[in-house]
């Protein structure tokens, strides 16, 4: 028998615990939740596991690897879309083969004896057996009735109390014979309870149900997460706690390593310690689970609580029934009454008090002596900065709520004169639509008129803003490409440039002090709604005038374009057709499900466009990301150029195009410089707070992540114009993109993020500068240290988040990996020295 583990959920209901990890990876007694279930099945003889992933799959893959460290074999399946529970299992059919298999969720805690279900399935010669159990409140589950022969007669998914006909529910644990998979359609959204089970019953395939005795809990929200711990620590569930066991007069201690605690430390009930835990004198622990690298200072009293890894708790802190997530600092004399959830990355000041049942979302700073009586979702992490480079981002409908959007609009409008007009637009995402509408209300209340372009690419909005003298600002709303649960609001000035740091600070000051302007009813702003036809036509005409269409036409240019379900679908195909470029367009429609897993979408898009370009002998391919700003290039031989090679290929083309007149290029300080271009003057530096006039001094402004601004058209990142400009230059060069790719010599380039607290960033800069003595170095943007003419390391502390950005360039993979390892070890050493 094999096991199929469902581990792809977003964990929306259990936020903020799932802020940076998928729900199956939430710790239960210092091990990921899904690990306990998998190890139980392993001990029953199951050695092959198929894990179905979706949300943040890399976290699960990195932890479990191929399974060999756990004595099992793991195969991962990452769907490219939401295919439902049964549809996702169908994707694993080739790995399941001819074996029967158990399907189980990765986000439950149970002490069921699965052997009973195995034996039942075998005795009944069942094709599909369902694990059943009785619960007090069946409303959130599928209610089931089985007859005396254990044949299931009736299902009802998530009934109301008026519909409840049983307290027996479907646990989501199934044993299935492989032929059942043939009933599940390929690549369709198909659910076990809603689709497969009714189909099988209609075709007289008997579904068998077995009542399992014992503990079962679906960990669906923060309260149930807390209750699981309460049940385990009070022995309400048959749960084996691993580690060294040590008896105390009033309790028992389990630990992953040997501890000799001070005699004044009191252990009451069940206490579990991970590795590297430091507990000072006078600490009282009562039913507490503490993960790795936690430091608890003297005089603390902690009861019925869970503390994740890398937490520092100072003197005389009192916690009761709390969940303290990773990387938190709690200063001395803090008191948290029952029910605190403190998400990751927070700093709690001295003498702060939390009232009952308060949830603090990630990366908040609680001021000393604060009395926190309500949930803090959008909070003081942003007292230093709401904005990151002109953009506000956060969890959709949580951090970026309607209330937040309205306040932000009022703060933005407070910087503008009554009666002036701004332009707004959004992508297709429904969160973007909701947040934009709330934002409009804030603008109107402050007497600002609005040109609403509705769904439009940011490049069209910025072109409209830059070329309409009546507009003095703009805002664009979109879903985060890489984290679909987040939304982004980007604000622009009258030059269509993201607002600078001074403007951002002014808006933030108005936001936090709530110094808004509310105008008389007669001066409330007006909305001029448009379907952006005129604006798109103006943008399209301007693009077509700038691109040398004859060159592309004469070259009989052929291109494949994947629009990746973004907003460019409304305009870019028309531009290509008008210019006369033979094209194939892929994914020119909005698909919320595919955009919810961008990694899978990107992988599938790369595979498809590569086959199309090489198979049809096209000149090139372009992937335009949903943000309408970034692109990936595909060579005529099907090679998908990585972002670094794509940048260098564009620079090669521009270099050939600049033979008669040298051109200036601006790149970020971390861009590779191992390749020389004789006709380009390349400046590398920090891209921040530039004025439009300065940007126009360069022919090209580019990044290392597929963003290009060709200033002969506009100074903003524009994936559509950049794609056409690259086609034009490639047509002029009479070269193939594959030829240019081969001209680019191989070298090592890598970007790494290393965790670093805010308090350590300055000291890291100092240590790097000390390390740079005697070497060629620069401190223009972070600290850049050259090991030789080609190999360098650049360290830039992240301005907004608690990590260091480390960039490495080297002439070979070996020297690059050595350089990365060397400086990673130095950073770890520096961190220990300065603690």
């Amino acid at each position: 028998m094999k096991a199929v583990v469902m581990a792809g959920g977003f964990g929306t209901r259990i936020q903020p615990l799932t802020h940076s990890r998928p729900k199956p990876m939430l710790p239960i007694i210092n091990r990921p939740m899904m690990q306990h279930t998998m190890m139980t099945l392993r001990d029953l003889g199951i050695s092959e596991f198929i894990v179905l992933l979706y949300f943040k799959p890399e976290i699960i893959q990195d932890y479990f690897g191929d399974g060999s460290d756990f004595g099992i074999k793991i195969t991962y399946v990452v769907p490219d879309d939401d295919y439902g529970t049964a549809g996702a299992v169908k994707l694993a059919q080739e790995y399941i083969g001819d074996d029967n298999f158990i399907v189980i969720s990765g986000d439950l805690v149970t002490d069921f004896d699965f052997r009973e279900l195995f034996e039942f399935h075998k005795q009944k010669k069942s094709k599909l057996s369902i694990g059943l159990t009785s619960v007090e409140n069946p409303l959130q589950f599928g209610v089931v009735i089985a007859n005396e022969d254990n044949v299931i007669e009736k299902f009802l998914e998530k009934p109301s109390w008026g519909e409840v006909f049983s307290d027996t529910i479907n646990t989501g644990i199934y044993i299935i014979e492989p032929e059942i998979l043939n009933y599940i359609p390929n690549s369709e959204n198909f659910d076990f309870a809603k689709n497969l089970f009714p189909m099988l019953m209609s075709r007289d395939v008997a579904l068998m149900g077995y009542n399992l005795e014992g503990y079962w809990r679906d960990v669906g929200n923060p309260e149930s997460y807390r209750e699981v711990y309460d049940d385990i620590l009070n022995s309400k569930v048959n749960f084996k706690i691993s580690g060294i066991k040590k008896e105390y007069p009033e309790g028992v201690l389990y630990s992953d390593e040997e501890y000799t605690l001070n005699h004044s430390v009191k252990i009451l009930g069940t206490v579990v310690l991970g590795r590297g835990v430091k507990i000072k004198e006078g600490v009282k622990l009562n039913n507490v689970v503490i993960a790795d690298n936690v430091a608890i200072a003297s005089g603390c009293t902690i009861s019925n609580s869970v503390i994740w890894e890398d937490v520092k708790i100072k003197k005389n802190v009192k916690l009761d029934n709390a969940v303290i997530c990773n990387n938190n600092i709690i200063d001395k004399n803090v008191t948290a009454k029952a029910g605190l959830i403190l998400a990751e990355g927070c700093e709690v000041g001295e003498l702060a008090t939390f009232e009952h049942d308060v949830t603090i979302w990630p990366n908040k700073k609680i001021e000393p002596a604060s009395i926190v009586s309500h949930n803090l979702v959008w909070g003081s992490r942003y007292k230093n900065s709401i904005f990151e480079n002109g953009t506000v981002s956060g969890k959709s409908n949580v951090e970026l709520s309607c209330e937040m959007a309205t306040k932000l609009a009022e703060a933005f409008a407070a910087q503008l004169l009554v009666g002036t007009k701004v332009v707004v637009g959004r992508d297709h995402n429904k969160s973007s639509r909701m947040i934009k509408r709330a934002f409009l209300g804030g603008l109107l209340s402050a007497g600002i008129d609005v040109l609403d372009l509705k769904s439009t690419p940011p490049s069209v909005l910025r072109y409209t803003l830059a070329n309409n003298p009546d507009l003095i600002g703009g805002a664009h709303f979109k879903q985060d490409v890489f984290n679909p649960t987040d939304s982004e609001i980007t604000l622009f000035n009258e030059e269509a440039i993201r607002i600078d740091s001074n403007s951002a600070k002014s808006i933030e000051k108005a936001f936090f002090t709530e110094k808004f302007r509310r105008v008389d009813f007669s001066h409330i702003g007006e909305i001029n709604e448009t379907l952006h036809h005129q604006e798109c036509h103006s943008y399209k005409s301007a693009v077509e005038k700038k691109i040398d269409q004859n060159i592309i036409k004469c070259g009989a240019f052929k291109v494949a374009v994947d629009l990746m379900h973004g907003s460019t679908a409304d305009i870019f195909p028309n531009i290509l057709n008008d210019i006369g470029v033979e094209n194939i367009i892929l994914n020119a429609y909005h698909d919320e499900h595919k955009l919810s897993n961008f990694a899978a979408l990107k992988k599938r898009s790369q595979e498809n466009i590569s086959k199309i370009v090489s198979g049809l002998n096209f000149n090139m391919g372009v992937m335009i990301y949903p943000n309408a700003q970034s692109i990936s290039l595909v060579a005529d031989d099907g090679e998908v150029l990585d972002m670094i090679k794509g940048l260098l290929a564009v620079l090669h083309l521009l270099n050939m195009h600049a033979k008669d007149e040298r051109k200036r290029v601006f790149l970020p300080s971390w861009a590779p410089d191992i390749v020389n271009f004789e006709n380009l003057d390349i400046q590398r530096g920090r891209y921040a707070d530039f004025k439009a006039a300065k940007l126009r001094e360069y022919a090209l402004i580019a990044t290392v992540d597929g963003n290009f601004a060709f200033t002969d058209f506009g100074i903003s990142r524009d994936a559509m114009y950049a794609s056409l400009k690259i086609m034009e230059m490639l047509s002029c060069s009479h070269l193939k993109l594959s030829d240019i790719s081969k001209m680019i010599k191989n070298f090592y380039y890598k970007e790494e993020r290393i965790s670093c607290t805010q308090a350590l960033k300055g000291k890291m800069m100092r240590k790097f500068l000390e390390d740079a003595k005697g070497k060629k170095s620069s401190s223009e943007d972070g600290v850049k240290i050259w090991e030789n003419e080609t190999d360098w390391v650049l360290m830039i502390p992240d301005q907004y988040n608690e990590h260091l950005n480390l960039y490495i360039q080297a002439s070979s993979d070996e020297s690059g990996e050595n350089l990365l390892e060397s400086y990673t070890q130095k950073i770890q050493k520096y961190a220990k020295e300065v603690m």
Side-chain angles (χ1 to χ4, degrees), residues 606-615 618-621 633-641 738:
Q606 288 176 335
E607 292 171 351
N608 290 343
I609 198 168
S610 173
K611 292 175 184 176
I612 290 171
V613 171
S614 59
F618 274 28
N619 297 85
M620 65 179 288
L633 301 178
V634 184
D636 50 285
D637 60 358
E639 179 191 5
V640 180
L641 307 187
S738 58

Side-chain angles (χ1 to χ4, degrees), residues 523-540:
H523 293 104
I524 290 173
E526 296 181 354
I527 299 177
N528 178 15
E529 290 188 340
T530 170
L531 295 177
H532 69 245
H533 294 312
Q534 180 58 47
E535 290 75 21
C536 284
H537 177 74
S538 299
Y539 170 85
K540 177 172 165 288

Side-chain angles (χ1 to χ4, degrees), residues 273 325 655:
L273 303 183
C325 296
N655 185 60

Side-chain angles (χ1 to χ4, degrees), residues 345-626:
C346 295
E347 294 182 30
V348 180
E350 182 180 354
L351 288 169
T353 299
F354 295 90
E355 298 295 334
H356 291 275
D357 298 322
V358 169
T359 298
I360 308 299
W361 279 66
N363 305 309
K364 304 297 183 283
K365 185 173 181 179
I366 309 300
E367 301 295 336
S370 298
I371 298 175
V372 185
S373 59
H374 62 277
N375 295 345
L376 185 56
V377 178
W378 190 282
S380 52
R381 168 167 80 117
Y382 303 97
K383 285 185 179 176
N384 291 329
S385 179
I386 292 177
F387 291 94
E388 297 184 16
N389 298 322
T391 295
V392 180
S393 60
K395 294 288 179 188
S396 302
N397 211 24
V398 180
E399 292 173 311
L400 268 186
S401 63
C402 290
E403 179 186 11
M404 161 64 194
T406 303
K407 284 182 61 179
L408 182 65
E410 291 176 303
F412 180 41
Q415 318 307 311
L416 310 175
L417 296 176
V418 173
T420 52
K421 181 183 285 190
V422 301
V423 59
V424 300
R426 57 169 174 82
D427 64 9
H428 291 292
N429 185 262
K430 59 186 179 184
S431 293
S432 305
R433 178 186 283 112
M434 175 192 73
I435 294 168
K436 189 207 74 176
R437 288 180 175 176
F439 191 89
L440 290 183
L443 293 177
L444 299 179
S445 72
I448 303 299
D449 294 334
V450 176
L451 173 63
D452 184 3
L453 301 185
K454 298 188 176 178
S455 175
T456 192
S459 48
V460 174
L461 182 145
R462 296 176 78 171
Y463 175 83
T464 302
L465 175 55
N467 291 277
N468 186 337
D470 294 334
L471 299 171
I472 52 83
H476 193 269
F477 305 79
K478 66 176 182 287
Q479 181 184 32
D480 188 324
V481 172
F482 302 102
N483 191 345
T485 63
D486 284 13
S487 293
E488 298 178 352
I489 305 174
T490 303
L491 301 184
F492 305 103
N493 64 17
E494 70 279 2
E495 295 181 316
I497 300 173
R498 294 182 182 217
I499 60 169
D500 60 23
S501 57
N502 289 332
S503 298
K505 288 175 183 177
S506 297
I507 295 169
E508 287 162 2
K509 183 177 180 181
F511 178 90
F512 287 113
T513 59
E514 298 193 3
K515 291 185 177 178
F516 307 140
R517 179 182 65 227
R518 302 281 169 77
V519 298
D520 178 81
F521 78 94
S522 61
H523 293 104
I524 290 173
E526 296 181 354
I527 299 177
N528 178 15
E529 290 188 340
T530 170
L531 295 177
H532 69 245
H533 294 312
Q534 180 58 47
E535 290 75 21
C536 284
H537 177 74
S538 299
Y539 170 85
K540 177 172 165 288
S541 299
V543 168
E544 292 171 359
K545 288 176 183 176
K546 280 292 180 182
I547 294 297
D548 192 333
Q549 301 177 35
N550 291 325
I551 292 175
I552 299 177
K553 286 179 181 178
C554 292
F557 208 86
K558 301 177 182 179
V559 63
V561 181
D562 192 330
L563 299 179
M564 303 180 79
H565 308 290
S567 55
T568 54
D570 296 333
I571 181 170
F572 197 52
N574 294 330
I575 295 176
L576 287 174
N577 292 335
D578 284 359
I579 289 177
V581 176
E582 185 175 339
N583 64 82
I584 290 178
I585 302 291
L586 307 175
N587 297 319
Y589 61 96
H590 178 64
D591 191 310
E592 185 177 335
H593 291 304
K594 288 186 171 63
L595 288 173
S596 69
N597 189 343
F598 183 72
L601 169 62
K602 181 180 176 182
K603 181 180 178 183
R604 186 190 62 198
S605 294
Q606 288 176 335
E607 292 171 351
N608 290 343
I609 198 168
S610 173
K611 292 175 184 176
I612 290 171
V613 171
S614 59
L616 298 179
N617 295 318
F618 274 28
N619 297 85
M620 65 179 288
V622 182
M623 294 166 56
I624 296 183
Y625 284 31

